[in-house]
Amino acid sequence: MSGGSDDTDGKESAASPGPSKRSGKPSTDPATDDASPSEVSSDPSAAVEGVIGEEYLGIWEGAGKDSDQQPYSFRRITITQGGVGADVATTFNSFDEALCNGAAKLVSFDNLMVLESRALSSIPEEACSDGGRQTIRAAGDGTLIWTDDDGETAVLTKGVENATPIPAGFLGKWEYVETGGSPSPDSSTLELSQGAYGEVVARYVSDGPSYHCEDESVLVYANSKELRLGPQTVTAAEPADKCVDAGTRTVQMKGADGLSLAWTDSDEEEDAPSTYRRAD
C-alpha cells in the first residue's frame, strides 16, 4: 500500500496484533511467503501408512469465527496420511493484518483428529507464531469442523488445487477513481495477474508530487464474485517514509469495467470501499 495515495489513508501497518487482538491468531497458525497449498502433493491419499481416516484427507477451506461468532479468518488446511508424531498437515491462514503458513503434526486420531501446529513463515515477517492445539472432526455431511483452544471455529469444505483460480474478468490493469472532494494530483493503479494461492497476483503503483510507492499482495482465495488478497507489502518506496505496508483486502467486480476494494477490518461507516476502473 502507498503512504501518499488517497486510497490508502489511515492504513498504517500490518504488524502482529497484540493480546487485545487475541494473541495466538495472527500469531496462531502460520503464513506464507514462500510456501502455499499449491505446493502440496496433489494426491494426499497416496500410499503412505498412517492412522487418519480417508474422509479427512485432502484440501479443506473455510471462514473462521471467533468465540463471539464474528468473522475472524480464512483458513485452508491440506491433510495427508501419516502416523502419530508425523507432520500430516500444512496450514494457510489469512487474517486482517497477517497471512500465516505452517505445518502441523498429528497428536492423536480416534473420534477426532488432534493436531499441534507451528509457524513456518508469515506476511509481514514475524507476524505469526505457533498455533498450538487444534481439533478436527468429520461432521458426517462432507465437511470438517475445526476448532482451537482460543475458541475459534470453522466449517471446512473440500477444496481443490488450482493453478489458475482467478476469473478472467478480474485480470488486467485498473485505475483508482476519486469520489467527491477536489481533484487530486495523486494517482494509483492496480494490476491483477493469474496465479495460484500463495503467489503474488496483485501489484499496486501509487504516485504523487512527492512520492512513488509500489506494493504487492499474494492470492488467498478466489471465486466468481470475489478475491481475497493477502497483506500489501511495499516493494519500492521513494522516499522510504512515504510508503507503508498494509492489511488484507477483498476485491469484487463492479459491473463489467469496475472493481470495488475493501479492507477486511474496515468500519463500513468510516472506511468506504475504493473504486477502480479498467485502464485503457
Side-chain angles (χ1 to χ4, degrees):
M1 164 158 109
S2 328
S5 164
D6 289 346
D7 178 34
T8 59
D9 287 349
K11 296 293 175 184
E12 288 294 311
S13 147
S16 173
S20 64
K21 284 274 252 186
R22 288 173 19 99
S23 107
K25 261 3 183 185
S27 338
T28 264
D29 258 298
T32 182
D33 170 44
D34 50 13
S36 79
S38 62
E39 296 171 351
V40 177
S41 168
S42 60
D43 184 10
S45 59
V48 174
E49 290 188 5
V51 298
I52 300 172
E54 292 292 322
E55 68 273 25
Y56 287 80
L57 303 177
I59 300 171
W60 301 85
E61 58 189 23
K65 294 183 178 181
D66 64 18
S67 57
D68 295 322
Q69 293 300 294
Q70 296 301 308
Y72 188 76
S73 66
F74 177 83
R75 294 181 174 273
R76 185 177 293 112
I77 182 169
T78 301
I79 302 173
T80 57
Q81 191 57 270
V84 172
D87 281 346
V88 297
T90 59
T91 56
F92 181 78
N93 303 319
S94 172
F95 306 94
D96 290 342
E97 297 175 335
L99 182 63
C100 301
N101 183 77
K105 70 178 181 179
L106 183 64
V107 176
S108 64
F109 185 88
D110 193 0
N111 294 316
L112 50 77
M113 173 186 288
V114 180
L115 300 173
E116 183 82 24
S117 73
R118 66 184 185 279
L120 294 180
S121 60
S122 73
I123 301 173
E125 293 182 3
E126 300 182 358
C128 305
S129 64
D130 294 345
R133 289 288 176 99
Q134 303 170 3
T135 62
I136 301 175
R137 182 189 294 271
D141 60 358
T143 66
L144 299 181
I145 308 301
W146 176 97
T147 63
D148 74 358
D149 288 342
D150 292 323
E152 186 184 351
T153 62
V155 177
L156 306 178
T157 58
K158 207 68 178 282
V160 296
E161 188 173 358
N162 189 349
T164 57
I166 302 178
F170 286 93
L171 303 176
K173 192 171 184 178
W174 305 83
E175 299 173 325
Y176 173 64
V177 179
E178 286 190 64
T179 55
S182 304
S184 169
D186 298 344
S187 65
S188 180
T189 62
L190 163 64
E191 186 167 3
L192 291 170
S193 57
Q194 190 62 266
Y197 299 133
E199 294 181 350
V200 173
V201 298
R203 292 175 173 83
Y204 301 83
V205 177
S206 295
D207 278 299
S210 62
Y211 70 90
H212 173 85
C213 302
E214 298 179 18
D215 310 79
E216 66 182 23
S217 294
V218 305
L219 180 64
V220 172
Y221 175 76
N223 62 24
S224 61
K225 298 180 179 179
E226 182 177 270
L227 310 180
R228 184 178 174 111
L229 304 175
Q232 288 180 221
T233 303
V234 174
T235 58
E238 302 173 49
D241 62 353
K242 288 289 187 177
C243 309
V244 294
D245 293 341
T248 299
R249 272 180 152 176
T250 57
V251 183
Q252 296 180 337
M253 293 297 300
K254 194 173 184 179
D257 295 311
L259 294 180
S260 177
L261 276 67
W263 304 101
T264 58
D265 65 346
S266 67
D267 181 330
E268 293 183 2
E269 295 182 359
E270 298 181 4
D271 197 3
S274 301
T275 299
Y276 283 71
R277 67 182 172 217
R278 193 176 293 279
D280 295 333

